[in-house]
Amino acid sequence: MRVPAWKLPPLKPPALRWPWQRRWDAWWQARHPASDTTALTQRNLYILPSRPGAAFVVTLLVLLLASINDQLSLGYLLTFVLAGAGMASMNATHANLRGLKLDLKTPPPAYAGQPLALDIRLHNPSAARFGVGVRLPDARSTDSAFADVPAQGHAQLQLQLSFPTRGRHALPRLRVESQFPFGLFVTWSYWRPAAQAWVYPAPELDAPPAAAVEEGLPQGQGQPGLGDDPGLRPYRHGDSPRQILWKKSALALAQPQPPGGSGAGAALLVRERLGSRASEQWLDLAATRGLPFEQRVSRLAAWVLRAEEEGLPYGLRLRGVSLAPDLGPEHFRDCMEALALAQEQP
C-alpha cells in the first residue's frame, strides 16, 4: 500500500560527526538497538556504587586504616565482614535486573502539551525481582515508576511525558534501574524504543463555528418538517447512536406533539451520513486566513473534533492534502495526523 506523501517524515541532512563520534554511535547502537522489546543481559547492564555506596566504601577505608594503625584484630574482622557483605550486595543488585524482559505498548495519540502515557510490561522468567524502576533520564519529565515482579510472572508500569509541539515524535530513551537490596550499588540499562508518538495539535478553546464549504442540497430540499436544516431526518431503526443529535432531539421532545404522534421516538433526530450529501462539509485551511499558522491548525483541529462529535461528515483540505468527507475513528485519525504534520509554506 502506498504511503501518502504527507505521512512521510521530512528528510534531514546528516549531521557532521568526527570519526570517533561515529565509532561511539556504532558501539552504542549495537548494544542498545532501537526496539519496542528489550532483554537485560550481561552485555547491556552497568553497575556502579550509589551515593550511599560511595560513603560505605569511604567508611570501610577509614575502618581499615584505623585497624592497621592500632593493630585491632576485631577491626580487621569488622572491615572484611562489611566488605564481603558489600560485594555480595553488588552481585545481588546486578542479578535483580539480569534476565528481565520488557516490552512497550504503542502509545495512543495525545494533544500537544497534554500527558502521553507509556505502558511498559515486565516479564520475569526466573526468581522474583524487587524494586525495578523505569524512568526518563532527560529533562522532559522526571516521572518514574517502580514495581516488584513475581517469580515467573509479569508486572506493568506506566510513565507519562508530554510534548509541547505537534507532530510525530520519537520516544526518548528509557532508563531501567534497581538498587535492591541495600542501595549500595545501582545497576541500570538504557532502552531506546522504536515506537513513535503522534501528537495532535491542541484544539482551540471556544473556537468559532466552522467556516466550512457546504456541499449538498439547497435550502428547502431536506427532510420535510425539520426546519431549515436539510441534513436532519427522523430516527429510523438501524441508525447508529453516533448519528443522533441529542440536543436537537431534546428541544424537539420539549415541543408539543401533535395528536396521534408516535411519542418520544419520533422526536429523535439524526444527521444524514454519506448517503445524503446535504450535511457534508469541507474544512479548509484557507478559511482561517489572517491568523498565525499554529492558531490556524488549532482551529481546524477544533472544527474536526466538533464535527466528529456531532456526527457531521467532514472533509479536510490543506496544502497538498485533501481528505474526502467521512466519519469514524479512522477518518478522524487521518485528519488529525495530517494536521499534526502540516507545515507552513511561504
Side-chain angles (χ1 to χ4, degrees):
M1 185 179 69
R2 182 175 178 270
V3 180
W6 55 269
K7 284 195 174 184
L8 296 176
L11 297 177
K12 296 181 180 180
L16 296 178
R17 308 279 288 176
W18 293 100
W20 67 269
Q21 290 176 315
R22 290 195 294 269
R23 288 194 295 269
W24 169 264
D25 291 342
W27 177 86
W28 176 263
Q29 293 175 5
R31 283 192 169 238
H32 302 278
S35 175
D36 290 338
T37 60
T38 186
L40 305 182
T41 64
Q42 191 84 18
R43 179 180 174 83
N44 55 20
L45 274 177
Y46 314 99
I47 188 168
L48 281 175
S50 61
R51 290 186 178 181
F56 179 75
V57 172
V58 172
T59 303
L60 289 180
L61 291 177
V62 172
L63 285 175
L64 180 61
L65 292 176
S67 301
I68 294 175
N69 185 60
D70 294 334
Q71 291 296 313
L72 298 175
S73 300
L74 292 180
Y76 286 120
L77 177 62
L78 177 62
T79 301
F80 294 139
V81 168
L82 292 178
M87 297 299 293
S89 170
M90 180 178 66
N91 182 68
T93 302
H94 192 269
N96 195 48
L97 288 187
R98 189 173 61 245
L100 198 64
K101 297 180 180 179
L102 301 92
D103 66 77
L104 174 68
K105 183 180 177 181
T106 301
Y111 293 104
Q114 294 185 357
L116 177 74
L118 298 181
D119 290 323
I120 302 169
R121 290 166 291 190
L122 295 80
H123 309 282
N124 180 19
S126 57
R129 318 295 178 102
F130 302 95
V132 179
V134 181
R135 68 182 181 92
L136 297 164
D138 57 11
R140 253 177 299 196
S141 174
T142 57
D143 190 22
S144 60
F146 289 84
D148 297 334
V149 190
Q152 298 182 353
H154 312 276
Q156 188 165 353
L157 296 176
Q158 186 175 85
L159 294 178
Q160 289 189 344
L161 73 159
S162 62
F163 294 92
T165 58
R166 59 183 173 86
R168 183 168 53 179
H169 298 271
L171 294 180
R173 66 177 183 176
L174 304 176
R175 176 179 166 123
V176 187
E177 63 182 20
S178 175
Q179 297 187 25
F180 177 84
F182 300 135
L184 300 180
F185 293 87
V186 54
T187 181
W188 77 94
S189 179
Y190 287 115
W191 179 17
R192 296 193 304 126
Q196 293 183 325
W198 279 102
V199 180
Y200 296 158
E204 181 183 5
L205 299 177
D206 301 325
V213 180
E214 300 286 352
E215 296 186 359
L217 300 173
Q219 294 292 335
Q221 296 186 12
Q223 295 292 336
L226 297 180
D228 295 332
D229 192 338
L232 299 182
R233 61 169 175 80
Y235 174 82
R236 292 196 297 261
H237 179 70
D239 288 334
S240 171
R242 292 177 58 87
Q243 295 176 251
I244 300 177
L245 300 181
W246 297 104
K247 292 183 180 179
K248 291 184 180 292
S249 300
L251 293 176
L253 182 62
Q255 296 177 358
Q257 297 291 330
S262 57
L268 291 178
L269 304 178
V270 300
R271 178 76 69 177
E272 283 284 3
R273 296 183 67 97
L274 296 178
S276 172
R277 295 171 57 87
S279 58
E280 292 181 0
Q281 63 174 343
W282 282 92
L283 306 178
D284 200 327
L285 183 65
T288 60
R289 288 194 182 99
L291 299 175
F293 184 75
E294 290 301 323
Q295 188 175 349
R296 298 172 70 184
V297 174
S298 295
R299 180 163 296 183
L300 281 176
W303 288 349
V304 168
L305 184 60
R306 184 180 301 168
E308 182 69 26
E309 291 176 349
E310 294 179 355
L312 179 65
Y314 57 93
L316 181 66
R317 285 196 183 112
L318 303 174
R319 294 187 180 96
V321 178
S322 180
L323 299 175
D326 201 350
L327 273 176
E330 293 185 2
H331 182 63
F332 176 78
R333 182 194 61 204
D334 291 341
C335 291
M336 296 303 287
E337 289 180 358
L339 290 173
L341 297 180
Q343 294 184 356
E344 185 176 10
Q345 297 180 357

